[in-house]
C-alpha cells in the first residue's frame, strides 16, 4: 500500500495557509519524485518555509491535501515523522550541548539504545568532518559547522525524505560548495530531497525539478533547463552614451534577444540565452553608429527571473515584513 | 556510495513497520531524555548553578541581618519566621527558568526539530518542565542549607521537611505552566526574566513571606491573606516548623490544580498560535 518506490515521495494539492491577513500559501501544488531533488525557489516571504513546515507536519494547512511517503499529513503525521528529516532555515542545535550530545539526544529520542545512539553520533560526526569538534559545546561552532551539525542531526534516523530549508544561505562560497557535495552524496544514497533556496544557481546545481513560487503561488515549474530556456539565463545590458540613441539600441536588443527589452532611463536590458549575442551586439551597434558607455552580459538575478516569469518585480521588502 | 554509508536511508528490508502512535510510557521516557539536557548542561558548566545561587544566598543574608532585628526583635527568630517563605519565593522565581529554556528552544528552532521527530507531542514541554525540577530541588537545598548554617532549625523533623519539599515541587510543577506561557509570549529569553521578575516581585512582596500580617493596615491584610503565596508560605512554615496544617496544604494544592487547569491549556493554545 505505502510502497516506498511510489513515483512521488511528496505530493501536495492546493495547500493554503494563512497567518491573519497574510496568505503564506495560496493553493500550492507540488510533487517530489522519489529519489530526486525538488528545488523550491522563491524570494523572501514567498512561502518556502511555510510549505516546508506544512509538509513536515509542523503546521496544519487551512485547506488542501498532501501526502508524504504515501501517508496523509493531516491524519498520519506520526508515520510521516518516522520517514522525514528536517533541516530548518536556522540551524536548530542546542547550543549548550556538545555536537556529540546533540546527536546522541536525537538518537535516544528516536528510540535507539544508548550504545547504538552513541555509535550513530560518532559515525555522523566523522562523516560530516566534525569528529574533532564533537566534544565542544555547539555555541563555539562556526556557521558552517553549525549547519553541518544541523544537517547530521536530521540524518540520525536515516530518513528517506529530507527537507532542507535554505541550507546554504549565509554561508561563504567554500562552505556552500562543501554542502552541495554532501547533498549530492545523500541523493546518490537514494534520499529524496525537497530543497528551498533563493538562489537560481543553487537550484540549478542540485535540483532535478524546480518550482518557482511567489506570494504563495506557483508561478513556474519544470526542469532547470526548461526554466532557463523560458527565462533566459543571462541579461544583456546596453547604455548608449547619447540618450537619443535609446530607440535604436532598443530595436537592436529586441532583435537579438527576441523579447521586449526593459528600458530604464537610458539603460536597455533583456534576457538572453545565447552568449554569442555579445559580439553580435557589438557589431550591430557599431554598424548603426551608436557609441555605448556600458555593454554587459551577466547572469540573470533572481529578480530578473521573476520579472520575466511574472512581469512584475519581486516585492521583497513588502512581503517580508512579518515574522521570520 | 554503498548502502552502509552513514547517510544512507533505511532500505525497505531493514525498516521496521511504522507505528501509528506514541505510548504513554514512551512519551515519559522521551520527556526524561529531554530533561537530561539540563543535567548535562550543569555538568558542563557548574557555574550556571552558581549563577542562580548567589541571589537567594544574598537575599537570606540581607533579610536576616538587615531587617531581622527591626521586624522580629532579633535576627534569630526572624530567620525562623522568614526562611520557609524565602524558599517559596525562590521556587516561584526558579519556575521562570522553564520559560527561559522554552523560549531559547523556540527562538533557536530546536523546538521545530523536536516536533518533527516521531515523539509524543507533549514530551518537549513536559521535558522542559521536568528538567527544571532539578533546579528546584537544588535551590530548596541551597536556601535551607544557608539557613541552617545561620541557625535555622527544622522544628517538625525530617518528615515535615520532606513533606514541604513535595508540596513545593507539586506547586512548582503547576506554576511552571505560567513560566511556559511567559516563555511563549516573550520575544527572547532575556525578556522572559524581565517580564517574570516584574510580575513575581510584587506578588511575593505583598504576602506574609517577610512580615507578619498583623502589622499591616486592614485593607492590605485582606490582600495579603488572599495572596496564594501567603497560603503556600503558611503551609511550608507548618510543615517545617510547627506541624502540618491541613487547611493551608489543601488550599495550596487547590491553587496548584487551578493554575494548572487554566495555564496548561492556555499555553498549549498559545503554543499552537506561535508555531
Ligand atoms: N508564524 C507566522 N505568523 C505570521 N506570519 C507568518 C508566519 N510565518 C510566516 N508568515 C508570513 O508568511 C509569508 C511567507 O513566509 P515564509 O517564511 O514561508 O517565506 P519564505 O519564502 O520562507 O521567506 P524567507 O526567504 O525570508 O525565508 C510571509 O509574509 C511571512 O511574513
Ligand atoms: Mg524561509
Amino acid at each position: 500500500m505505502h510502497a516506498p518506490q511510489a513515483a512521488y515521495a511528496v505530493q501536495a494539492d492546493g495547500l493554503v495557509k494563512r497567518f491573519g491577513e497574510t496568505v503564506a500559501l495560496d493553493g500550492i501544488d507540488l510533487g517530489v519524485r522519489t529519489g530526486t531533488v525538488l528545488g523550491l525557489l522563491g524570494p523572501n516571504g514567498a512561502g518556502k518555509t511555510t510549505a516546508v513546515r506544512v509538509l513536515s507536519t509542523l503546521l496544519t494547512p487551512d485547506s488542501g491535501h498532501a501526502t508524504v511517503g504515501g501517508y496523509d499529513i493531516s491524519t498520519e503525521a506520526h508515520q510521516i515523522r518516522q520517514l522525514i528529516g528536517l533541516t530548518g532555515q536556522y540551524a536548530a542545535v542546542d547550543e549548550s550541548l556538545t555536537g556529540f550530545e546533540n546527536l546522541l539526544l536525537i538518537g535516544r529520542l528516536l528510540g535507539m539504545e544508548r550504545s547504538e545512539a552513541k555509535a550513530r553520533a560518532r559515525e555522523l560526526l566523522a562523516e560530516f568532518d566534525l569528529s574533532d569538534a564533537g566534544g565542544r559545546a555547539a555555541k563555539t561552532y562556526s556557521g558552517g559547522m553549525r549547519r553541518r551539525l544541523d544537517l547530521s542531526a536530521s540524518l540520525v534516523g536515516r530518513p528517506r525524505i529530507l527537507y532542507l530549508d535554505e541550507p546554504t544561505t549565509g554561508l561563504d562560497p567554500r562552505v556552500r560548495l562543501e554542502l552541495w557535495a554532501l547533498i549530492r552524496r545523500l541523493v546518490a544514497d537514494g534520499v529524496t530531497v525537497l530543497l528551498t533556496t533563493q538562489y537560481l544557481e543553487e537550484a540549478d546545481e542540485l535540483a532535478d525539478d524546480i518550482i518557482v513560487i511567489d506570494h504563495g503561488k506557483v508561478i513556474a515549474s519544470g526542469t532547470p533547463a526548461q526554466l532557463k530556456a523560458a527565462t533566459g539565463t543571462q541579461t544583456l545590458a546596453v547604455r548608449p552614451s547619447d540618450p537619443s540613441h535609446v530607440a535604436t539600441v532598443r530595436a537592436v536588443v529586441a532583435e537579438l534577444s527576441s523579447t521586449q527589452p526593459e528600458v530604464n532611463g537610458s539603460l536597455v536590458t533583456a534576457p538572453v540565452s545565447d552568449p554569442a549575442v555579445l559580439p553580435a551586439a557589438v557589431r550591430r551597434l557599431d554598424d548603426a553608429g551608436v557609441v555605448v558607455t556600458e555593454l554587459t552580459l551577466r547572469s540573470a538575478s533572481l529578480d530578473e527571473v521573476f520579472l520575466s516569469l511574472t512581469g512584475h518585480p519581486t516585492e521583497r521588502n513588502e512581503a517580508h515584513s512579518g515574522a521570520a | 556510495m554503498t548502502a552502509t554509508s552513514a547517510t544512507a536511508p533505511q532500505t525497505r528490508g531493514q525498516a521496521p513497520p511504522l507505528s501509528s502512535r506514541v505510548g504513554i510510557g514512551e512519551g515519559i521516557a522521551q520527556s526524561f531524555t529531554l530533561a537530561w539536557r539540563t543535567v548535562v548542561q550543569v555538568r558542563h558548566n557548574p557555574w550556571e548553578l552558581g549563577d542562580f545561587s548567589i541571589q537567594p544566598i544574598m537575599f537570606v543574608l540581607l533579610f536576616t541581618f538587615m531587617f531581622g532585628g527591626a521586624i522580629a526583635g532579633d535576627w534569630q527568630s526572624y530567620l525562623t519566621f522568614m526562611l520557609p517563605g524565602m524558599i517559596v519565593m525562590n521556587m516561584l522565581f526558579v519556575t521562570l527558568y522553564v520559560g527561559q529554556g522554552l523560549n531559547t528552544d523556540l527562538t533557536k528552532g530546536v523546538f521545530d526539530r523536536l516536533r518533527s521527530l516521531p515523539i509524543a507531542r507533549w514530551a518537549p514541554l513536559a521535558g522542559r518542565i521536568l528538567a527544571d525540577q532539578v533546579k528546584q530541588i537544588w535551590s530548596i537545598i541551597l536556601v535551607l542549607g544557608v539557613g541552617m548554617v545561620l541557625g535555622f532549625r527544622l522544628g517538625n523533623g525530617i518528615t515535615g521537611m520532606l513533606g514541604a519539599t513535595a508540596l513545593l515541587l507539586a506547586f512548582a510543577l503547576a506554576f511552571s505552566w505560567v513560566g511556559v506561557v511567559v516563555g511563549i509570549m516573550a520575544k527572547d529569553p532575556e525578556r522572559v526574566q524581565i517580564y517574570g521578575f516584574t510580575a513575581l516581585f510584587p506578588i511575593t512582596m505583598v504576602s506574609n513571606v517577610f512580615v507578619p500580617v498583623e502589622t499591616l493596615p486592614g485593607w492590605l491584610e485582606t490582600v495579603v491573606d488572599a495572596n496564594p503565596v501567603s497560603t503556600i508560605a503558611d503551609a511550608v512554615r507548618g510543615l517545617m516548623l510547627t506541624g502540618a496544617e491541613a487547611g493551608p496544604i489543601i488550599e495550596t494544592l487547590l491553587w496548584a490544580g487551578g493554575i494548572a487547569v487554566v495555564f496548561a491549556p492556555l499555553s498549549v493554545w498559545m503554543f499552537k498560535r506561535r508555531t
Side-chain angles (χ1 to χ4, degrees):
Chain A
M1 189 172 63
H2 299 297
Q5 290 314 320
Y8 287 94
V10 180
Q11 217 166 5
D13 291 308
L15 290 181
V16 174
K17 182 71 194 178
R18 291 184 202 86
F19 296 106
E21 296 288 286
T22 314
V23 185
L25 298 180
D26 194 1
I28 295 271
D29 302 326
L30 63 80
V32 191
R33 291 181 289 130
T34 303
T36 69
V37 181
L38 176 75
L40 197 58
L41 185 66
N44 285 132
K48 303 182 295 294
T49 298
T50 308
V52 166
R53 289 169 59 85
V54 166
L55 293 171
S56 55
T57 76
L58 299 182
L59 276 181
T60 38
D62 295 326
S63 68
H65 177 84
T67 59
V68 176
Y71 293 96
D72 190 307
I73 53 165
S74 48
T75 56
E76 296 171 308
H78 187 65
Q79 285 89 330
I80 292 174
R81 294 184 192 118
Q82 294 163 70
L83 293 176
I84 61 168
L86 170 66
T87 301
Q89 186 165 358
Y90 306 99
V93 297
D94 187 327
E95 306 207 320
S96 55
L97 300 185
T98 65
F100 177 75
E101 287 161 352
N102 265 288
L103 300 181
L104 179 62
L105 177 74
I106 308 278
R108 294 288 285 157
L109 288 173
L110 290 174
M112 294 180 187
E113 291 300 322
R114 185 162 263 281
S115 56
E116 186 190 355
K118 281 186 173 170
R120 182 76 183 130
R122 269 189 221 103
E123 183 183 20
L124 281 166
L125 288 173
E127 179 86 10
F128 286 73
D129 204 12
L130 288 169
S131 291
D132 294 339
R136 255 167 44 204
K139 59 172 160 267
T140 66
Y141 284 20
S142 70
M145 290 163 77
R146 234 173 254 237
R147 259 292 164 203
R148 294 205 303 267
L149 179 62
D150 193 34
L151 187 54
S152 54
S154 63
L155 295 173
V156 172
R158 300 181 183 272
R160 290 213 304 263
I161 299 164
L162 186 63
Y163 299 105
L164 302 171
D165 194 0
E166 300 197 24
T168 67
T169 299
L171 298 182
D172 69 43
R174 187 183 57 83
V175 180
R176 166 176 295 178
L177 286 177
E178 274 173 31
L179 263 167
W180 283 0
L182 276 173
I183 294 167
R184 284 203 192 91
R185 214 157 71 210
L186 287 168
V187 177
D189 281 340
V191 179
T192 303
V193 177
L194 174 65
L195 167 105
T196 81
T197 180
Q198 297 193 34
Y199 307 113
L200 189 60
E201 186 197 3
E202 182 160 286
D204 190 14
E205 280 285 331
L206 297 172
D208 298 293
D209 299 290
I210 295 179
I211 285 185
V212 185
I213 63 172
D214 188 23
H215 294 306
K217 283 201 174 73
V218 176
I219 56 171
S221 61
T223 63
Q226 285 166 344
L227 272 184
K228 276 193 273 184
T231 61
T233 51
Q234 291 177 306
T235 296
L236 178 66
V238 185
R239 189 193 300 276
S241 58
D242 180 349
S244 67
H245 286 151
V246 166
T248 320
V249 170
R250 191 173 188 282
V252 169
V253 172
E255 195 187 324
L256 288 170
S257 67
S258 331
T259 62
Q260 285 293 348
E262 276 279 302
V263 182
N264 215 328
S266 62
L267 184 69
V268 180
T269 56
V272 294
S273 38
D274 180 4
V277 296
L278 195 57
V282 174
R283 266 196 314 277
R284 298 281 189 87
L285 291 168
D286 196 33
D287 292 347
V290 176
V291 181
V292 297
T293 54
E294 184 182 337
L295 176 62
T296 54
L297 187 64
R298 56 184 168 76
S299 293
S301 67
L302 188 59
D303 288 331
E304 283 153 343
V305 171
F306 274 89
L307 187 62
S308 64
L309 284 174
T310 63
H312 74 81
T314 59
E315 292 150 85
R316 283 172 183 266
N317 299 325
E318 172 230 70
H320 198 54
S321 50
Chain B
M1 280 290 129
T2 61
T4 54
S5 78
T7 51
Q10 271 180 359
T11 61
R12 191 136 113 98
Q14 306 166 307
L18 302 185
S19 71
S20 58
R21 49 180 292 278
V22 193
I24 285 274
E26 285 173 288
I28 292 172
Q30 288 152 2
S31 304
F32 273 97
T33 302
L34 285 162
W36 161 85
R37 289 196 293 167
T38 304
V39 182
V40 174
Q41 263 171 45
V42 171
R43 210 169 55 205
H44 282 319
N45 187 5
W47 288 113
E48 205 173 284
L49 278 184
D51 285 349
F52 73 87
S53 304
I54 291 171
Q55 193 194 321
I57 294 175
M58 202 177 69
F59 266 47
V60 171
L61 296 176
L62 210 66
F63 273 88
T64 305
F65 294 109
M66 285 294 292
F67 303 126
I71 298 174
D74 64 289
W75 65 263
Q76 287 90 345
S77 37
Y78 186 66
L79 178 68
T80 306
F81 168 79
M82 176 272 296
L83 200 80
M86 182 68 89
I87 294 175
V88 171
M89 177 172 124
N90 242 317
M91 176 269 290
L92 295 175
F93 280 111
V94 171
T95 55
L96 289 181
Y97 286 99
V98 175
Q100 212 175 5
L102 181 68
N103 191 274
T104 309
D105 282 353
L106 282 169
T107 47
K108 298 275 186 232
V110 174
F111 239 79
D112 277 358
R113 147 114 337 113
L114 296 178
R115 295 201 314 132
S116 76
L117 298 175
I119 61 175
R121 297 298 82 195
W122 44 269
L125 277 183
R128 201 71 249 182
I129 291 175
L130 207 57
D132 287 292
Q133 300 313 304
V134 176
K135 292 182 180 166
Q136 286 292 358
I137 292 174
W138 165 256
S139 84
I140 293 173
I141 294 174
L142 179 81
V143 176
L144 205 55
V146 174
M148 290 180 87
V149 168
L150 296 180
F152 179 81
R153 290 295 166 260
L154 290 164
N156 193 26
I158 204 83
T159 36
M161 196 267 289
L162 291 178
T165 306
L167 188 70
L168 284 163
L169 289 181
F171 192 87
L173 272 178
F175 201 75
S176 295
W177 289 107
V178 179
V180 170
V181 167
V182 180
I184 296 170
M185 269 171 23
K187 262 210 174 75
D188 51 57
E190 286 70 40
R191 253 170 266 211
V192 174
Q193 281 297 330
I194 297 170
Y195 294 159
F197 201 81
T198 313
L200 283 182
F201 200 70
I203 294 176
T204 48
M205 280 297 162
V206 186
S207 73
N208 67 13
V209 165
F210 296 108
V211 292
V213 278
E214 301 81 55
T215 61
L216 303 174
W219 61 272
L220 190 56
E221 195 179 328
T222 318
V223 176
V224 166
D225 276 336
N227 186 345
V229 177
S230 302
T231 311
I232 317 165
D234 281 339
V236 173
R237 266 192 213 110
L239 283 163
M240 284 190 173
L241 298 173
T242 50
E245 284 176 67
I249 294 177
I250 290 169
E251 237 182 286
T252 299
L253 292 173
L254 286 177
W255 268 106
I259 289 170
V261 164
V262 173
F263 283 89
L266 178 67
S267 58
V268 171
W269 178 75
M270 288 179 58
F271 190 69
K272 281 203 180 127
R273 282 197 33 161
R274 165 151 183 173
T275 52

